[in-house]
Amino acid sequence: MNSAVKHWKIQRYSAIMNLFIALWLAVSLLCIQGNSYEETIKWLKYPINSILISLFFITSFLHMRLGLQVVIEDYVSKILLRKRLIIGINSLSWILTIISIISVLKIVIFN
Amino acid sequence: MKDKQTLDSRPLSPHLQVYKPQITSILSISHRISGIFLSLGLITMSLFILLLAIGKDSFFLWILFSTSFLGEVILFGWVFALSFHMLNGIRHLFWDYGIGLSLTVSKWTGLIVCFTSVIISIIFGIILLELIL
């Protein structure tokens, strides 16, 4: 598949998944807003919550990475700066995805 | 072969500020702005989960932030941006299937997106206030 087509499709698929997952997360966070550390840990340890939040990080960072890339391509005209920014955004989003999932795993296994 | 004269006399692409603001163009740029703002929210979410994983003392930082007035305002901003970006995103997904592309329909769906996202944010805001008070 052409990389532009791939970009377009992944942007849409992740959007559709986020419609459900981000809605779930927004409502959940509203419910646990202001909760103590222990209560928040307890909430995250329910399997459905830990699975959905991991999925949320994967699809959202994917969606964010692709979206920001388009914005950079549209507004940054200097080719070198554009390339560096895109590489920076890509690396940051992958690193944060991995850190977040490791954090969830750490809580599920050790807390 | 184009000489310099022709190149210079070519019309420039008009910039955003020369256009009369219209609901379609305003919503288009708002979709991008809300997306960029939500990126910050996503990064904050990963910070939240990291603080939670590190331990009780570091999670206290999150509690301080999310229960402060400034924190509440920022969280509310993300709720508004998210509901707008989601609803307008649904509009975009329908466009991808060629549905609702006419001027009249896209103006109406645009207005619906504006009003619905404001209403959803107000409902969220009221619940958020109820929880604080």
Side-chain angles (χ1 to χ4, degrees):
Chain A
M1 206 185 332
N2 182 312
S3 78
V5 177
K6 210 190 244 171
H7 181 117
W8 193 90
K9 283 197 168 174
I10 296 175
Q11 182 76 316
R12 267 72 190 173
Y13 292 147
S14 60
I16 294 166
M17 286 185 79
N18 280 345
L19 279 181
F20 301 102
I21 302 175
L23 186 67
W24 160 81
L25 187 72
V27 174
S28 300
L29 287 181
L30 187 68
C31 296
I32 64 162
Q33 161 69 359
N35 273 13
S36 68
Y37 170 76
E38 287 79 9
E39 287 168 318
T40 314
I41 291 280
K42 196 176 157 216
W43 171 81
L44 192 77
K45 286 191 79 168
Y46 284 111
I48 182 79
N49 292 337
S50 36
I51 290 168
L52 280 178
I53 206 165
S54 306
L55 212 60
F56 165 79
F57 282 117
I58 295 171
T59 57
S60 299
F61 273 116
L62 206 60
H63 193 79
M64 175 191 111
R65 185 169 73 79
L66 298 173
L68 289 181
Q69 184 180 331
V70 175
V71 173
I72 290 168
E73 284 167 351
D74 282 353
Y75 300 124
V76 180
S77 50
K78 289 191 183 117
I79 296 292
L80 192 66
L81 179 65
R82 180 196 286 183
K83 276 186 179 162
R84 282 180 182 163
L85 278 174
I86 291 174
I87 292 172
I89 295 279
N90 280 353
S91 323
L92 182 76
S93 66
W94 283 119
I95 290 168
L96 287 178
T97 310
I98 293 166
I99 289 178
S100 309
I101 290 174
I102 291 174
S103 301
V104 174
L105 282 176
K106 187 258 164 188
I107 292 166
V108 169
I109 298 169
F110 296 106
N111 276 92
Chain B
M1 187 80 178
K2 291 185 182 74
D3 51 34
K4 200 170 180 304
Q5 188 69 46
T6 353
L7 280 175
D8 284 346
S9 60
R10 275 182 180 171
L12 278 174
S13 166
H15 287 271
L16 209 58
Q17 56 269 31
V18 247
Y19 284 116
K20 177 171 169 269
Q22 288 166 317
I23 177 136
T24 39
S25 62
I26 296 286
L27 286 191
S28 170
I29 194 67
S30 303
H31 196 70
R32 291 205 154 172
I33 295 170
S34 60
I36 295 167
F37 184 54
L38 284 170
S39 303
L40 299 177
L42 180 56
I43 293 169
T44 309
M45 272 312 299
S46 61
L47 208 64
F48 156 78
I49 212 78
L50 180 66
L51 288 173
L52 187 66
I54 293 173
K56 195 170 181 169
D57 295 334
S58 59
F59 189 70
F60 185 65
L61 281 176
W62 172 262
I63 294 177
L64 270 185
F65 164 74
S66 66
T67 52
S68 69
F69 177 70
L70 185 67
E72 297 281 358
V73 171
I74 295 174
L75 288 177
F76 180 74
W78 279 323
V79 167
F80 178 56
L82 183 67
S83 51
F84 172 78
H85 197 84
M86 267 185 163
L87 291 167
N88 204 37
I90 294 173
R91 196 162 155 254
H92 274 271
L93 286 171
F94 275 108
W95 284 342
D96 291 339
Y97 280 95
I99 302 168
L101 279 171
S102 77
L103 210 54
T104 337
V105 176
S106 61
K107 272 181 186 167
W108 274 107
T109 49
L111 280 173
I112 293 170
V113 163
C114 287
F115 283 117
T116 320
S117 57
V118 169
I119 290 168
I120 291 176
S121 312
I122 290 173
I123 294 172
F124 258 76
I126 290 172
I127 299 173
L128 209 62
L129 275 177
E130 291 272 308
L131 288 177
I132 306 164
L133 300 174

